[in-house]
Amino acid sequence: MANLFSGLEAFGLGKMSDLDVYASEDKNNKKSENSAEANEKEKIVEADFLFDKTYTCPVCEKEFKVKTIKTGKIKLVSADTDLRPKYQNVDSLKYDAVVCPHCGYSALNRFFNYMTSAQAKLIREQISTSFKGINENCDEYTYDDAIARHKLALVNTIVKKSKISERAYTCLKTAWLLRGKAETLPEDTPDYDEQIEQLQIEELEFLTNAYEGFTDAFSKEMFPMCGMDEHTVTYLVADLARRVGKHDEASRWISKVLIARNANERIKAKARDLKELLKNK
C-alpha cells in the first residue's frame, strides 16, 4: 500500500506518516534544446496566470501570501469523468491548497477560513510544534510542491477532526495532482516507467480513500457537500467506484442518478456516458 504522506519529512512532520485518513477521534542535443525552450515557455505562461493573494491564518492570526490563480484568465478545456477540470496553459489544481508558512496550518481554499478554537488548538499542538516552514521563494509551484502541500492539508484535516467530506475532497484533489504529474512527466525522465507506475499506484490509493470518504459522508452529512449537490456527488461516487475496481457499486450509484427525477440533464448525460464506459470495460 502506498504511503499517502510520503514527502512530509520536508515540513518536519515525518511522524505523521502513519496517520489513518478516516481514523475515529480516539485513533490517534537539439531535441533537448527544444524541450528546454518549451519548458521555459510553459513557465512564463503559467506565471502570467498567478498573483500573490494575502491570507490571515485562523490559527496563528499572522498574514502571509500564497500563489493564486487568476480565475478570470484561465480557460477550461475539458474534464475527466471524475470531474477533474483541465485548463489551458496551467493546472489550477496546483494552487488550491493554502499553507500558512508560520504555523503549518493548511487546507483547500474553500475550507481554509473555517476554524473553531478547539481545532486551532489541535493544529498548534500537533502541527505547529514540529513544522519547519515552507519555501515560498518561487514563481510557480511544481507538481511535487503542490502534492506536498495537499498532503499537508490532508494531515490538517485529520488533526482538526474535520468533516469526512473535507478529507475525501482533499484526497480527490491530491489524486488529480498525481494524475497531472504523470500526464506531464517527460518521457526522457530517468526510470520513466517506474515513476509512472508509482504515480498510478499512489493515485489509486488516494482515489480509494476519496471513494470511501464520500460514500461514508453521503449518509452522514447534509448537501451541498464541498460545493456539490446530491446528484453530482452521487455521480462522482459512481466514477470513483469504477476507477477503484468496484464495478457493481459503480452501476448501483449510476442508477441512482438516472432514476432521480430532479437530477438535471447535464449530470444524467454524464451518468449515461459512464454507464456505457463501464459496460464496454
Side-chain angles (χ1 to χ4, degrees), residues 105-254:
Y105 169 56
S106 177
L108 298 185
N109 193 318
R110 71 165 50 247
F111 305 114
F112 186 79
N113 290 319
Y114 297 98
M115 176 70 61
T116 66
S117 58
Q119 288 176 324
K121 184 173 182 290
L122 290 170
I123 297 298
R124 287 193 292 268
E125 292 174 347
Q126 299 183 44
I127 300 289
S128 304
T129 54
S130 301
F131 185 63
K132 291 182 178 179
I134 190 168
N135 178 30
E136 291 289 355
N137 296 321
C138 55
D139 294 328
E140 60 191 57
Y141 299 154
T142 65
Y143 273 106
D144 287 339
D145 293 332
I147 290 167
R149 289 166 182 269
H150 279 69
K151 288 181 177 181
L152 182 58
L154 183 58
V155 168
N156 274 267
T157 67
I158 300 168
V159 169
K160 72 181 182 181
K161 299 178 174 62
S162 71
K163 287 185 177 181
I164 296 172
S165 58
E166 181 180 346
R167 306 185 203 190
Y169 199 52
T170 307
C171 285
L172 179 63
K173 290 290 188 78
T174 310
W176 288 349
L177 287 170
L178 289 159
R179 191 183 308 164
K181 181 180 177 180
E183 289 174 353
T184 58
L185 190 69
E187 293 186 9
D188 59 355
T189 301
D191 301 321
Y192 174 82
D193 291 337
E194 290 81 357
Q195 288 200 44
I196 291 295
E197 181 181 7
Q198 184 56 42
L199 287 168
Q200 291 173 341
I201 290 172
E202 197 170 359
E203 179 193 340
L204 180 60
E205 190 72 15
F206 276 98
L207 288 175
T208 300
N209 274 273
Y211 166 72
E212 292 172 352
F214 278 121
T215 302
D216 193 14
F218 200 93
S219 60
K220 296 179 178 179
E221 298 181 18
M222 300 290 289
F223 290 94
M225 185 183 295
C226 304
M228 298 178 285
D229 63 25
E230 181 176 350
H231 303 304
T232 301
V233 175
T234 303
Y235 166 82
L236 175 60
V237 170
D239 192 54
L240 290 175
R242 178 188 68 84
R243 286 175 178 268
V244 303
K246 297 181 180 293
H247 294 166
D248 289 342
E249 283 297 298
S251 296
R252 186 171 69 84
W253 285 92
I254 291 171

